[in-house]
Amino acid sequence: MKKFVLFIPLVIFLGMGAFLYKGLFLNPKVLDSALEGKPVPAFQLERLEVPSEVLTEKDLPAKVSMLNFWATWCPACKYEHPYLLMLSKRNLLPIYGINYRDERALAIKELTTLGDPYTANLFDKDGRLGLDLGVYGAPETFIVDHNGIIRYRYAGPIDQTVWTQTLYPMIQQLQAEAKVDGAS
């Protein structure tokens, strides 16, 4: 029995080594989401620019859309901002900005200075919607189909590579499904 006890640290070491080795091959930008395939959670958030106006999940259009969590404190959000501006000019789908755990005045100033790529901006000051969606940080983007179902979650800044290789093919597929269902 004493000899068996001597091997316990070795077994623990091998177990931890196997766990860490597996982690080397995971993509940190691909996060499983327990909400994929489920409706956007109920929310009531003020518009960033108009605090008296509150939007809910029911205000999202019956179209494929993106929910993009961003903040002024987020360097990666600044990196993706020009790309989102370009996407908004192409008018491919509505992009909703969720200003996440930020200062309203700073966020408005940034959008005024750099441009506003969003169809509407919601202010998630305490991160309640982010918490409901399992957001780890900004930027994170959720693709929502025409039925209000979350179809994909992407963590990290959107750029040309992410857009052409991952997001846009999925969006095109979802837009084709929406067309078949009679939604625009």
Side-chain angles (χ1 to χ4, degrees), residues 4-18:
F4 177 74
V5 173
L6 293 174
F7 287 104
I8 289 177
L10 178 64
V11 170
I12 292 172
F13 175 78
L14 291 175
M16 288 179 59

Side-chain angles (χ1 to χ4, degrees), residues 19-91:
F19 180 75
L20 294 173
Y21 181 77
K22 182 181 177 188
L24 292 175
F25 300 100
L26 297 177
N27 183 349
K29 295 187 183 234
V30 177
L31 299 173
D32 290 334
S33 175
L35 293 178
E36 282 183 18
K38 295 185 179 176
V40 173
F43 67 84
Q44 287 188 329
L45 294 175
E46 297 172 354
R47 287 187 67 130
L48 180 67
E49 304 88 347
V50 187
S52 61
E53 191 174 332
V54 174
L55 297 179
T56 72
E57 75 285 356
K58 294 174 185 156
D59 294 314
L60 296 176
K63 293 180 162 184
V64 178
S65 58
M66 287 193 333
L67 303 178
N68 177 257
F69 284 78
W70 70 280
T72 59
W73 48 260
C74 163
C77 298
K78 294 180 188 338
Y79 169 79
E80 84 171 353
H81 192 84
Y83 199 80
L84 292 177
L85 281 170
M86 187 276 301
L87 289 178
S88 74
K89 288 178 184 167
R90 292 176 58 191
N91 202 22

Side-chain angles (χ1 to χ4, degrees), residues 142-156:
F142 293 83
I143 307 295
V144 179
D145 73 11
H146 64 287
N147 293 315
I149 305 296
I150 298 168
R151 300 293 291 263
Y152 189 72
R153 172 190 192 173
Y154 178 76

Side-chain angles (χ1 to χ4, degrees), residues 36 64-66 93 141-145 149-154 162-178:
E36 282 183 18
V64 178
S65 58
M66 287 193 333
L93 75 163
T141 301
F142 293 83
I143 307 295
V144 179
D145 73 11
I149 305 296
I150 298 168
R151 300 293 291 263
Y152 189 72
R153 172 190 192 173
Y154 178 76
V162 170
W163 179 255
T164 56
Q165 293 181 0
T166 306
L167 299 181
Y168 193 49
M170 177 175 297
I171 288 166
Q172 287 178 311
Q173 177 188 341
L174 293 174
Q175 288 175 333
E177 290 175 17

